[in-house]
Amino acid sequence: MDKGKLKGHAALWVANLVWGLNAPIGKSVLWSEHNPGGVSPFALSVYRMLGACLLFWSVSFFLPRERVARRDIVLLLFASVFGIQLNQMLFLWGLSLTSPIDSSIIATVVPVLTMVLATLFLREPITWLKAGGVFLGCAGALLLIMVSRHGTGHTSSVKGDVLCLVSAVSYATYLTAFRNVIVKYSPVTTMKWMFLFAAVVAAAVYYRPLAAVDYAALAPRTWAGIG
């Protein structure tokens, strides 16, 4: 494996590690019958999109400027719908209804869906190595499901699991359908435009859940989780 692929796999491993932490932390922040002091998943999705937008645009000022073609701007707009808006909103909505273990396990279907979609639309071959890796991941996920079902206080929800699954489908679609425009520019350039579109749309659509939050009543732990 060359150094470029090694760095890419290392970055993806770290991203998935952070994503694994995201589920239990997000669950502790979201409103539920067991956590009446939390915020709605729609409000939290806006916080995340706005925060990421500000972060990536701030970082971009310290990096070489990339000119993005108008056609690619439109593609990044649609990419943000599948890769950020639907993915994030559906995941957080599902997470508010189901358990963090279920949501994380369902997220493991993303490689399977991506591999299938890449084969159908990008004509990428399914190798034994790819299939074996996916099989091991699914086997581990099934093992976690079997173990978690025997735990106490399980908060699984069919609706929540389905929302998380649709979120995974949305993200897999983003990875395959918009791969060319994603790799065309630097990650910061791609993310700053995608999160800008996502933040504007989310703030416009979910302004009511944002206004409904009693910010003065949020506990420091909740603020820390949001951060």
Side-chain angles (χ1 to χ4, degrees), residues 104-223:
S104 297
I105 291 171
I106 292 170
T108 62
V109 304
V110 171
V112 180
L113 294 170
T114 303
M115 184 173 65
V116 173
L117 292 175
T119 302
L120 293 175
F121 298 106
L122 302 179
R123 297 294 186 267
E124 290 189 4
I126 298 179
T127 64
W128 284 107
L129 187 61
K130 290 180 181 179
V134 168
F135 173 77
L136 288 175
C138 291
L142 289 173
L143 180 61
L144 286 174
I145 290 176
M146 294 174 64
V147 173
S148 66
R149 296 296 179 184
H150 294 85
T152 57
H154 190 66
T155 56
S156 293
S157 161
V158 174
K159 181 180 178 180
D161 290 350
V162 170
L163 288 170
C164 289
L165 180 60
V166 178
S167 169
V169 173
S170 176
Y171 191 67
T173 302
Y174 154 74
L175 289 176
T176 51
F178 301 96
R179 181 183 181 279
N180 291 336
V181 71
I182 294 171
V183 301
K184 188 174 181 180
Y185 304 99
S186 71
V188 172
T189 298
T190 301
M191 289 294 104
K192 77 174 187 179
W193 283 106
M194 287 179 58
F195 273 106
L196 174 63
F197 296 137
V200 172
V201 172
V205 174
Y206 303 123
Y207 67 93
R208 287 185 178 178
L210 279 174
V213 177
D214 186 0
Y215 293 98
L218 294 181
R221 179 185 176 185
T222 302
W223 281 113

Side-chain angles (χ1 to χ4, degrees), residues 61-113:
F61 291 127
F62 299 95
L63 299 174
R65 184 180 179 183
E66 282 187 291
R67 184 179 180 84
V68 181
R70 291 184 179 181
R71 179 178 180 277
D72 292 339
I73 289 289
V74 176
L75 289 175
L76 289 174
L77 169 61
F78 285 102
S80 74
V81 173
F82 290 94
I84 299 176
Q85 297 173 43
L86 289 176
N87 173 46
Q88 293 291 313
M89 185 274 290
L90 291 172
F91 174 79
L92 291 175
W93 188 6
L95 180 61
S96 68
L97 299 173
T98 192
S99 70
I101 293 178
D102 280 16
S103 63
S104 297
I105 291 171
I106 292 170
T108 62
V109 304
V110 171
V112 180
L113 294 170

